[in-house]
Amino acid sequence: MIQIADSNHDEWDRMYAAGLPVPRIAELTGSRVGTIHRHLECRRNIDPDLAAARATAPRGPSKVWHRHLAELRDFIATHGCYPTIHGVADREAFLYGWLSDQRQAHLAQTLGWAKAREMGILGDWITTDLEREWDRRWREQFDRVVEFVAEHGRLPRHPKTTTEAEHVLGIWMATQHHKTLHQEILPWRLEALNNALPGWRKTAEVTLSEELHEQ
């Protein structure tokens, strides 16, 4: 792998080495084209590896790719959401397919640094629709647990419950404890539980211990 020497503008150098044209680098970094040109000219004189890296870089995003990215950005700004597979808005199905292709390329590590960098304007574009739905359902149950605690002054239990609703919430809490114990819970979910329900893990351990004792 070619190693590029230290620079005062590492980001410019990385973009240039990745194959981005200077005007695009200027647009992405909010810098002047002339300033970047002068910097790169000096860098090429003292660091031949920079030019070598650019020569071997894969082709950057095409004009068509940029057009699709801009169209997707405008769609998100207009509708307040990412396109879905069954969406009925104009061009939504196409944009969903295009976004899915970028996600697949990212997972396969074939998207390329330049495209990944530019996709950043879309926010959390990597998360799939299914994952968003899972997150939505998790937040719904989390909110119900928080409301239950506010009303009853304790966490929901199972199997010692008086209602089916508490039983469902109790099982959900036991699941969160299990996932935390086995380090399978997402960090943001664990943080939400710890912030909203201090001591919830200790309570879950006590409940589980009581349940095993009764069996």
Side-chain angles (χ1 to χ4, degrees):
M1 178 181 295
I2 296 174
Q3 297 293 327
I4 299 174
D6 292 340
S7 166
N8 292 330
H9 296 285
D10 289 335
E11 188 176 28
W12 296 358
D13 294 351
R14 288 196 301 270
M15 290 182 180
Y16 180 78
L20 268 69
V22 171
R24 188 60 178 163
I25 297 175
E27 180 182 351
L28 291 171
T29 61
S31 307
R32 294 179 179 275
V33 171
T35 302
I36 297 175
H37 270 303
R38 288 191 294 273
H39 165 78
L40 292 173
E41 183 178 358
C42 293
R43 292 291 297 152
R44 287 193 297 267
N45 289 334
I46 65 175
D47 186 6
D49 286 343
L50 179 61
R54 183 175 178 83
T56 59
R59 291 185 60 186
S62 66
K63 291 182 179 179
V64 173
W65 189 92
H66 278 127
R67 187 162 63 246
H68 293 332
L69 176 63
E71 187 179 0
L72 179 57
R73 178 199 59 202
D74 293 343
F75 178 94
I76 295 171
T78 300
H79 299 279
C81 64
Y82 292 85
T84 61
I85 190 171
H86 299 301
V88 296
D90 185 38
R91 297 273 292 172
E92 184 170 4
F94 169 80
L95 292 175
Y96 173 83
W98 187 83
L99 178 58
S100 296
D101 290 342
Q102 310 313 304
R103 287 169 173 162
Q104 290 298 321
H106 173 76
L107 291 174
Q109 298 184 348
T110 59
L111 182 64
W113 182 87
K115 288 183 178 180
R117 171 70 168 75
E118 298 203 40
M119 290 290 289
I121 67 172
L122 303 177
D124 181 19
W125 62 275
I126 298 174
T127 303
T128 65
D129 295 337
L130 182 58
E131 290 170 328
R132 293 182 197 282
E133 177 62 17
W134 288 341
D135 289 345
R136 184 191 66 78
R137 294 180 182 180
W138 190 93
R139 289 189 179 95
E140 282 187 353
Q141 290 296 85
F142 171 76
D143 289 342
R144 292 190 181 107
V145 169
V146 172
E147 291 174 2
F148 181 94
V149 172
E151 180 179 352
H152 299 279
R154 61 174 176 82
L155 288 170
R157 296 190 293 251
H158 85 93
K160 291 182 178 181
T161 61
T162 57
T163 65
E164 178 63 22
E166 181 180 0
H167 179 70
V168 171
L169 294 179
I171 291 177
W172 186 84
M173 286 300 301
T175 301
Q176 307 314 304
H177 176 68
H178 176 82
K179 288 181 177 293
T180 301
L181 187 64
H182 294 277
Q183 299 182 341
E184 297 173 353
I185 193 169
L186 295 176
W188 70 266
R189 294 181 179 180
L190 179 59
E191 182 179 2
L193 287 164
N194 289 339
N195 290 339
L197 306 170
W200 71 276
R201 293 188 64 186
K202 182 177 180 180
T203 304
E205 290 170 357
V206 171
T207 302
L208 181 60
S209 176
E210 291 175 349
E211 182 178 337
L212 292 174
H213 179 71
E214 290 178 355
Q215 293 176 352

